């Protein structure tokens, strides 16, 4: 057992390892030249308070916000008028035992020891927030509760939800949530005191704050009895230092807003408070994870603390405001990188994309721009020139968008809307420092807001809305976004919203996170988009080459999400694993580490090329990626194409090849999950498939535990083509369908199953009955290899009250060219797709660029397409190849592979190519009166690389 004097000794020596660790400096971020000595300073300067009060008096929304703040704590203020200790007695403290040392067993509370001279802060039960128990209302909390039986909480699993005693280890994070909530009330009261001068708000806040801070003064960080990882990430109040951000925001805000009152009434306590804050800052630096969003969350907390501390010279060890600010900006410790290093390591300088999944990367963007705003407001000091990547990263986030306004959700993400707040923070920066970039960020912010409105999203800060403040909210952040805010200069604004397509590209590749987006049109309903994701960066899943598909206003084939929580079995066993994704697993065992993963795919080809926004053939888009599945060392290749048939229709082609390098393939499983209440399967003749119940797809069969999560399993063996229709009936809107066709192969079994609901769609505003639906899922199992017998699938989204565009799909076997190895034909996929308008497309997909022929049609490339209408050829398209042709029409390249298109339109022929080619046409197709070079009955044109444009003969 340690002495209660240990915290004082710890404070005296804790700066030594930090100083020793801080030996690496990158390009330094400059500190402010001057620091104000007055409080408040964290969210609003003292000089701005009169202007803020005057503005509130004249702004109805602000007055409504203040009124709701009063109402949120009024009942508790009333209790404290007759008993000043009523509120503080609800804090979760070691009231009698006064423990100092906390012992954990990994992510679970074990026990506490030691005794301090005052009550100390109680530690929560577990790192995982999932528990049967919930916090009672503050008025129902037992006062001064410190009982051997544990904690008295609400049991949500029993009828009537009674309160009962439960051991601490079973309470999840409820204990810390209670304390954070109460400190949030104190923070609200501190704001009200600053805005109104009513002293009872100050007394209410100080009672809670003083009790808590004195109790934390003697507490130490937890000791893990297993001597494991959890001891390196724990904070003073909870199992993860990053989870202390809300609490520290409340505590530092209370101290800053009430500083003058504290100095007047209990000045002797100020050194204790600052010692606790400084100890807390050191814990935030010393614990945690340096290479991801943890680092930034911890940095934000340390900057909060630094904001309320005094200058370095005030403290004997010299660790004050400047020390901690400089440390966070420019110094590196083992578990806390400087912001300079974090920016360099985390952001891709080419794409502006952060190396975590979207749900986390967008929070990181908000945090970084929030730090820029912090320096602008607190110090009138511009640090953005030292963080220039943010100016690229803010608009780059739009590349994650689907046409309906939701960003992609691969990895540990939820589908959501992009916020314009990061852009508005950079706009504020440009305004405050008189930069020419004002128009740039104003335009992007307005464009994003207009796009969100177009796709039926209303902002929580929309004009006219009454703001609902919660405990511990950032009042200055809210009012800065209200009309006529006193925080941001408002020069005459002549900037207009642009189009969201100004900020996205038809093909976008982000290798740092292994993400690829292919878009064809960006209408919120009729746009087409497929997203592919690998596993590179942080918070990623083991999913190989995973796919999301969009159609008719909905992400119909969604990502899986994170399950109940990171610490529950469903996350580890299912949601983060191959079978939860739209991908292919090998031998039922494909797996690799999740979270921090290094298994991305390689982009081999795409059309158009990533970043190209104009000058390309608009009717065909495709991409081809490769991946090595590490568990079985299988080669995998996925070619995905979008074929546009009209402004409102189109379809997807998915060709997925997979084979073990050692040739010991048992099977390959193609997973496809789609939203819907109903799944219908029919054969190539249009008759229902006769599926039988099956006991297969289990962990007991030697597969991943994820296979056990499927139910209502039925299957059929068939080598024939199959068709499937997924139907999604929306409560208020048209019914949606995904029409699926799959080419048959020998030794194939088709499963129709139900899979767990997507946990990524829960923030899309969908009705609960839709968001909670299990996902109807098709699993196609190919016995042996799936390289020469790839999974070949066509998807067409449609609405139920309108016919789908495709009327028939057939495969055909190409003729092996003379001298060509037989494997080239085996690995080629050839389809004909007929539409209701009588058009017919001939599709050639090859694993290489060997020439594939059938009748008068041929292709020598990775992806080739010939489209015919009632009046003859419509277009030729070759993607990364040496040529394509139909009879007298052809495109050929004698040099390197090219992508090219030749398209007949009413006013003539249009053409594009990425390199020089030769184009041949029948003589009758040459314009009258023109004399291009001819070769008998053919016209021969030698053309250079050019953007898509009309041919001039």
């Amino acid at each position: 057992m340690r002495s209660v004097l240990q915290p004082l000794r710890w404070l005296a020596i804790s700066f030594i390892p930090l100083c020793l660790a801080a030996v690496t400096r990158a390009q330094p971020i400059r500190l402010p030249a001057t620091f104000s000595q007055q409080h408040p300073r964290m969210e609003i300067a003292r000089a701005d308070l009169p202007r803020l009060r005057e503005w509130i008096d004249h702004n109805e929304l602000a007055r409504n916000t203040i009124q709701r703040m009063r109402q949120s704590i009024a009942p508790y203020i009333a209790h404290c008028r007759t008993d000043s200790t009523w509120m503080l007695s609800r804090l979760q403290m070691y009231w009698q035992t006064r423990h100092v040392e906390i012992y954990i067993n990994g992510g679970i509370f074990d026990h506490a020891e030691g005794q301090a001279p005052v009550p100390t802060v109680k530690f929560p039960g577990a790192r995982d927030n999932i528990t049967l128990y919930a916090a009672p209302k503050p008025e129902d909390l037992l006062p001064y509760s410190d009982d051997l039986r544990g904690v008295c909480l609400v049991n949500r699993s029993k009828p009537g939800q009674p309160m009962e005693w439960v051991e601490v280890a079973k309470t999840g994070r409820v204990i810390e949530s209670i304390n954070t909530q109460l400190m949030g009330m104190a923070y609200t009261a501190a704001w009200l005191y600053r805005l109104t001068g009513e002293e009872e708000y100050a007394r209410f806040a100080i009672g809670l704050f003083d009790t808590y801070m004195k109790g934390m003064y003697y507490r130490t960080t937890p000791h893990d009895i297993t001597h494991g990882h959890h001891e390196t990430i724990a904070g003073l109040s909870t199992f993860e230092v990053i989870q202390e951000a809300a609490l520290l925001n409340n505590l530092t805000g209370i101290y800053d807003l009430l500083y003058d009152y504290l100095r007047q009434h209990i000045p002797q306590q100020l050194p204790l408070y600052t010692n606790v804050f400084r100890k807390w800052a050191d814990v935030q630096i010393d614990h945690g994870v340096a290479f991801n969003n943890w680092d930034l969350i911890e940095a934000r907390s340390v900057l909060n603390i630094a904001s309320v501390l005094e200058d370095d010279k005030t403290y004997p060890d010299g660790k004050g405001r400047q020390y901690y600010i400089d440390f966070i900006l420019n110094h590196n410790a083992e578990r806390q990188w400087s912001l300079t290093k974090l920016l360099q390591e985390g952001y891709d300088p080419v794409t502006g994309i952060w190396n975590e999944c979207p749900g986390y990367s967008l929070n990181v963007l908000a945090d970084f721009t929030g730090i820029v705003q912090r320096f602008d407001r607190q110090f009138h000091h511009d640090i953005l020139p030292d963080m220039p990547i943010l100016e690229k990263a803010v608009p780059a986030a739009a590349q994650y968008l689907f046409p309906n306004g939701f960003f992609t959700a691969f990895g540990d993400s939820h589908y959501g809307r992009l916020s314009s707040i990061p852009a508005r923070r950079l706009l504020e920066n440009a305004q405050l420092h008189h930069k020419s970039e004002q128009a740039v960020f104003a335009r992007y912010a307005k464009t994003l807001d207009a796009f969100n409105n177009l796709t039926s999203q209303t902002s929580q800060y929309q004009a006219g809305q009454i703001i609902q403040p919660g405990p511990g909210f950032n009042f200055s952040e809210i009012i800065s976004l209200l009309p006529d805010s006193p925080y941001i200069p408002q020069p005459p604004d002549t900037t207009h919203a642009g189009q969201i397509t100004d900020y996205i590209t038809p093909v976008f590749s982000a290798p740092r996170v292994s993400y690829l987006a292919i878009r064809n049109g960006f209408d919120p309903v009729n746009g087409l988009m497929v997203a592919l994701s690998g596993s590179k960066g942080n918070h990623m899943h083991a999913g190989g080459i995973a796919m999301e598909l969009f159609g008719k206003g909905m992400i119909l084939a969604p990502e899986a999400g994170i399950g109940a929580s990171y610490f529950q079995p469903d996350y580890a066993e299912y949601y983060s694993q191959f079978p939860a994704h739209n991908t292919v697993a090998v031998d039922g065992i494909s797996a690799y580490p999740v979270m921090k993963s290094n298994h991305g795919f390689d982009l081999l080809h795409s059309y158009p090329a990533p970043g190209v926004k104009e000058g390309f053939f608009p009717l065909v888009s495709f991409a081809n990626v490769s991946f090595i599945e590490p568990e079985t060392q299988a080669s995998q290749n996925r070619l995905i194409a979008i074929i546009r048939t009209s402004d409102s229709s189109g379809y997807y082609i998915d060709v997925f090849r997979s084979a073990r390098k050692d040739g010991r393939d048992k099977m390959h499983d193609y997973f496809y999950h789609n939203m819907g209440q109903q799944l219908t399967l029919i054969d190539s003749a249009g008759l229902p498939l006769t599926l039988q119940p099956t006991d297969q797809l289990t962990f007991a069969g030697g597969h991943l535990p994820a296979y056990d999560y499927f139910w209502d399993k039925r299957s059929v063996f068939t080598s024939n083509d199959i068709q499937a229709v997924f139907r999604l009936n929306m409560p208020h809107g048209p019914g949606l369908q995904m029409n699926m066709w799959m080419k048959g192969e020998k030794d194939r079994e088709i499963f129709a199953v139900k899979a767990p609901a997507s946990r990524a769609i829960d923030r899309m505003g969908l009705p609960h009955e839709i968001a909670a639906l299990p996902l109807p899922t098709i699993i196609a199992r190919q016995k042996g290899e799936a390289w020469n017998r790839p999974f070949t699938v066509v998807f067409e989204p449609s609405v139920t009250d309108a016919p789908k565009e495709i009327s028939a799909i057939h495969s055909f076997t190409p003729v092996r060219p003379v001298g060509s190895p037989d494997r080239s034909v085996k690995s080629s996929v050839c389809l004909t797709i007929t539409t209701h308008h009588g058009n017919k497309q001939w599709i050639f997909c090859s694993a290489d660029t060997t020439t594939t022929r059938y009748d008068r049609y041929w292709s020598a490339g990775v992806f080739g397409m010939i489209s015919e209408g009632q009046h003859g050829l419509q277009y030729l398209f070759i993607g990364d190849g040496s040529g394509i042709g139909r009879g007298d029409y052809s495109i050929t390249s004698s040099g390197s592979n090219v992508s090219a298109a030749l398209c007949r339109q009413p006013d003539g022929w249009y053409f594009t190519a990425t390199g020089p080619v030769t184009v041949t046409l029948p003589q009758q197709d040459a314009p009258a009166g023109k004399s291009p070079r001819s070769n008998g009955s053919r016209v021969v044109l030698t053309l250079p690389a050019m953007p898509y444009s009309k041919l001039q003969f």
Side-chain angles (χ1 to χ4, degrees):
M1 186 184 305
R2 297 184 181 180
S3 164
V4 296
L5 297 178
Q6 179 70 11
L8 296 175
R9 178 174 174 270
W10 189 93
L11 281 170
I13 65 173
S14 63
F15 74 101
I16 296 175
L18 295 177
C19 290
L20 292 176
V23 295
T24 304
R25 282 178 177 264
Q27 294 278 335
I29 298 176
R30 295 167 295 114
L31 267 64
T34 59
F35 291 84
S36 170
Q37 304 304 312
Q38 294 183 321
H39 292 266
R41 60 170 77 131
M42 184 175 161
E43 294 180 12
I44 186 168
R46 181 199 297 264
D48 293 328
L49 282 168
R51 184 161 57 96
L52 175 59
R53 294 189 184 106
E54 180 182 358
W55 176 79
I56 291 171
D57 288 340
H58 294 88
N59 188 290
E60 182 180 0
L61 285 174
R63 292 197 306 274
N64 288 335
T65 301
I66 298 297
Q67 182 60 28
R68 290 178 178 272
M69 292 168 64
R70 289 181 181 271
Q71 293 171 353
S72 70
I73 61 173
Y76 310 113
I77 293 284
H79 280 294
C80 291
R81 290 186 184 125
T82 56
D83 180 1
S84 63
T85 66
W86 188 91
M87 194 78 244
L88 65 86
S89 70
R90 268 67 183 168
L91 285 167
Q92 299 302 291
M93 309 279 287
Y94 297 116
W95 290 104
Q96 286 80 42
T97 52
R98 302 183 176 185
H99 291 313
V100 174
E101 307 287 349
I102 304 299
Y103 293 87
I104 59 176
N105 186 347
I108 304 294
F109 175 83
D110 191 89
H111 69 283
E113 294 181 356
Q115 190 172 44
V118 298
T120 54
V121 178
K122 193 175 290 184
F123 201 76
R127 184 181 180 187
D128 190 0
N129 67 306
I130 301 297
T131 175
L132 297 176
Y133 301 93
K137 296 178 181 177
E139 53 268 32
D140 294 331
L141 288 166
L142 298 182
Y144 301 110
S145 179
D146 185 13
D147 196 287
L148 292 176
R149 291 172 290 180
V151 188
C152 193
L153 300 175
V154 172
N155 189 331
R156 295 179 294 183
S157 67
K158 291 184 178 181
Q161 299 191 348
M163 288 184 64
E164 61 184 37
W165 290 97
V166 56
E167 61 182 282
V168 171
K170 295 181 179 180
T171 63
R173 295 176 53 197
V174 174
I175 289 171
E176 67 172 284
S177 71
I178 292 172
N179 284 339
T180 301
Q181 179 190 18
L182 296 182
M183 286 304 148
M185 293 180 181
Y187 186 27
T188 297
W191 259 114
L192 288 171
Y193 169 72
R194 263 301 178 180
L195 295 172
T196 69
E198 297 176 28
E199 193 169 340
E200 68 176 353
Y201 289 122
R203 292 195 299 268
F204 176 87
I206 287 173
L208 288 162
F209 176 79
D210 180 69
T211 304
Y212 189 92
M213 293 294 278
K214 286 191 294 190
M216 191 57 82
Y217 179 80
Y218 293 96
R219 271 279 326 284
T220 62
T221 53
H223 315 288
D224 187 356
I225 62 176
T226 68
H227 303 288
H229 169 64
H230 281 81
E231 187 165 331
T232 71
I233 64 173
L236 287 170
S237 68
T238 190
F239 283 83
E240 295 180 359
V241 283
I242 61 170
Q243 299 298 344
E244 298 182 306
L247 175 66
L248 282 169
N249 183 70
N250 295 339
L251 292 172
T252 53
I254 294 165
Y255 180 82
D256 189 41
L257 290 165
L258 298 182
Y259 179 82
D260 292 341
Y261 192 92
L262 292 168
R263 188 174 58 177
Q264 180 180 355
H265 291 85
I266 47 173
Q268 70 280 6
Q269 294 294 93
L270 295 183
L272 181 147
Y273 301 151
T274 55
N275 278 337
V276 172
F277 281 138
R278 296 190 315 128
K279 175 173 74 171
W280 223 320
D282 288 342
V283 171
Q284 290 282 315
I285 291 171
D286 196 38
H287 289 194
V289 181
F291 58 80
N292 60 24
N293 65 297
W294 279 55
D295 190 283
L296 193 56
I297 296 171
E298 294 155 28
R300 190 180 64 203
S301 292
V302 174
L303 288 174
N304 276 346
I305 292 170
S307 295
V308 303
L309 294 177
E310 305 311 318
D311 293 345
D312 290 352
K313 62 184 180 182
T314 307
Y315 308 100
D317 59 9
K319 293 171 59 177
R321 181 165 34 170
Q322 293 88 345
Y323 170 85
Y324 285 112
I325 292 175
D326 184 49
F327 195 101
I328 288 302
L329 295 181
N330 297 312
H331 297 259
N332 298 309
E334 178 66 20
R335 296 186 177 89
Q336 183 66 40
W337 290 352
S338 66
L339 293 189
T340 51
K341 181 176 181 179
L342 192 62
L343 285 163
Q344 292 169 356
E345 297 290 332
Y347 276 110
D348 184 334
V350 176
T351 65
I353 294 296
W354 178 259
N355 66 347
E356 295 190 79
C357 70
Y360 281 78
S361 66
L362 296 174
N363 288 334
V364 164
L365 186 60
D367 283 341
F368 267 122
T369 56
I371 289 172
V372 171
Q373 185 185 66
R374 176 197 298 269
F375 278 80
D376 283 340
R377 292 185 178 178
Q378 287 184 19
F379 310 116
H380 298 284
H381 175 69
D382 187 8
I383 64 171
L384 187 58
D386 298 319
M387 309 165 83
I389 188 63
L390 296 182
E391 297 183 63
K392 173 177 282 190
V394 167
Q399 293 279 21
Y400 275 146
L401 288 173
F402 280 94
N404 63 350
F406 289 96
F407 55 75
T408 179
F410 62 87
D412 294 336
S413 299
H414 301 261
Y415 292 104
R417 304 267 182 182
L418 284 186
S419 169
S420 62
I421 289 176
R424 293 185 179 279
R425 285 171 173 163
L426 296 194
L427 170 60
E428 177 183 347
N429 173 270
Q431 291 174 337
L432 290 173
H433 301 290
H434 309 290
K435 297 180 180 179
S436 60
E437 291 85 356
Q438 290 186 41
V440 174
F441 295 113
R443 184 172 185 271
Y444 175 64
K446 288 189 172 186
T447 300
L448 189 54
D449 287 341
F451 180 65
N452 282 335
N453 288 332
L454 174 68
T455 52
S456 302
Q457 171 69 9
T458 56
S459 169
Q460 61 176 319
Y461 301 114
Q462 188 174 2
Q465 181 177 350
I466 296 176
I467 297 166
Q468 302 278 0
F473 71 98
N474 187 328
F475 179 69
S476 65
E477 182 67 34
I478 290 176
I479 62 175
S480 71
L481 296 165
L482 290 173
D484 304 320
S485 167
Y487 281 88
I488 303 177
Q490 298 292 328
D493 189 359
T494 58
T495 306
H496 300 287
Q499 297 296 319
I500 195 64
T501 48
D502 297 337
Y503 302 95
I504 62 172
T505 53
V507 174
F508 175 71
S509 175
R512 188 75 69 91
V513 289
S514 192
Y515 172 75
L516 181 71
I518 313 162
R519 307 176 178 94
N520 193 298
F522 212 67
D523 180 84
V525 174
N526 296 316
L528 295 170
M529 175 174 165
V530 58
L532 300 181
S533 57
S535 306
K536 200 169 185 181
N538 199 44
H539 280 283
M540 300 301 184
H541 293 177
I545 310 170
M547 177 181 72
E548 299 163 272
L549 280 185
F550 177 84
K552 298 303 176 184
M554 181 73 72
I555 302 165
L556 290 172
E559 268 288 357
I562 65 172
S565 84
Y566 298 130
F567 313 107
Q568 293 296 304
D570 67 344
Y571 176 80
E573 294 176 350
Y574 178 75
Y575 281 96
S576 64
Q577 301 300 312
F578 269 70
H581 300 80
N582 298 316
T583 190
V584 170
V586 184
D587 294 346
I589 61 174
S590 291
Y592 47 81
V594 301
M595 281 290 178
K596 182 68 173 70
S597 189
N598 296 285
H599 297 286
F601 55 68
D602 292 321
L603 175 60
L604 303 179
H605 323 95
S606 79
Y607 187 84
V612 172
K613 299 186 70 172
E614 57 186 17
F616 57 89
F617 181 55
L619 299 182
V620 179
S621 311
F622 89 99
N624 187 29
V625 303
S626 66
F627 176 71
I628 301 298
E629 194 282 292
E631 183 70 13
T632 62
Q633 285 297 292
S635 297
Q636 295 193 325
N637 176 270
R638 191 165 206 166
L639 185 148
I640 193 84
I642 303 175
I643 311 302
R644 174 65 69 176
T645 53
S646 74
D647 289 343
S648 60
S649 62
Y651 58 87
Y652 301 96
I653 298 172
D654 182 25
V655 179
F656 202 128
R657 307 175 192 274
S658 184
R660 291 177 60 134
K661 293 180 179 179
D662 60 11
R664 298 162 65 181
D665 306 81
K666 295 179 182 178
M667 64 200 179
H668 297 259
D669 289 339
Y670 177 98
F671 295 93
Y672 180 73
H673 312 71
N674 197 96
M675 294 180 66
Q677 295 96 345
Q678 183 182 4
L679 168 60
T680 303
L681 281 89
I682 59 177
D683 62 18
S684 55
L687 300 175
L689 276 174
T690 305
L691 291 89
Q692 300 296 327
T694 179
D695 293 329
Q696 294 186 79
L697 306 176
T698 65
F699 173 69
H703 306 333
L704 297 166
Y707 283 80
D708 277 338
Y709 282 75
F710 300 124
W711 73 97
D712 284 357
K713 298 178 290 185
R714 298 171 297 140
S715 75
V716 62
F717 283 96
T718 180
S719 60
N720 297 324
D721 301 347
I722 67 160
Q723 300 177 62
V725 178
F726 298 84
R727 292 182 174 86
L728 176 63
N729 298 314
M730 299 296 290
H732 305 289
L736 305 179
Q737 289 184 179
M738 181 62 86
N739 307 282
M740 175 182 177
W741 175 92
M742 178 177 281
K743 181 179 182 291
E745 294 288 355
K746 182 182 177 182
D747 299 325
R748 182 167 289 181
E749 185 174 7
I750 303 297
F751 296 85
V753 306
K754 289 181 180 176
S758 166
R759 294 300 187 97
I761 65 176
D762 55 357
R763 300 177 187 177
M764 297 178 72
L766 297 171
H768 175 74
E769 63 268 26
I770 300 298
L773 282 173
L775 293 177
T777 299
I778 286 179
I779 304 169
R781 172 166 289 177
Q782 181 67 54
K783 300 293 180 65
E785 58 83 23
W787 190 270
N788 295 321
R789 298 173 295 171
F791 300 100
T792 303
V793 191
V794 177
F795 298 98
E796 183 190 357
S798 65
V799 294
T800 54
D801 57 358
K804 59 188 178 72
E805 182 74 8
I806 296 174
S807 60
I809 303 176
H810 299 284
S811 61
F812 61 91
T813 302
V815 177
R816 181 171 67 89
V818 176
S820 174
D822 187 58
R823 64 178 176 81
S824 299
V825 175
K826 283 185 177 180
S827 65
S828 295
V829 170
C830 302
L831 306 175
T832 60
I833 298 178
T834 305
T835 71
H836 281 293
H837 297 291
N839 297 331
K840 191 172 186 177
Q841 282 98 43
W842 297 76
I843 311 292
F844 298 84
C845 303
S846 179
D848 52 36
T849 58
T850 301
T851 301
T852 303
R853 294 184 181 275
Y854 183 82
D855 194 18
R856 57 177 179 165
Y857 307 93
W858 63 273
S859 175
V862 172
F863 183 75
M865 185 167 174
I866 302 168
S867 183
E868 298 174 318
Q870 296 177 351
H871 303 290
L873 180 73
Q874 293 177 322
Y875 62 81
L876 302 176
F877 174 83
I878 183 65
D880 196 69
S882 59
I884 191 166
R886 169 196 177 269
D888 290 338
Y889 299 91
S890 68
I891 303 172
T892 58
S893 169
S894 59
S896 59
N897 288 345
V898 298
S899 292
L902 176 69
C903 181
R904 188 201 305 265
Q905 294 189 18
D907 62 339
W909 289 97
Y910 284 71
F911 170 79
T912 183
T914 60
V917 298
T918 299
V919 171
T920 61
L921 299 167
Q923 184 72 46
Q924 65 268 23
D925 278 329
K930 302 294 183 182
S931 302
R933 181 168 63 91
S934 64
N935 181 4
S937 62
R938 299 180 181 180
V939 174
V940 181
L941 304 172
T942 301
L943 299 172
M946 66 173 66
Y948 188 60
S949 54
K950 186 177 180 180
L951 278 180
Q952 302 296 325
F953 287 86

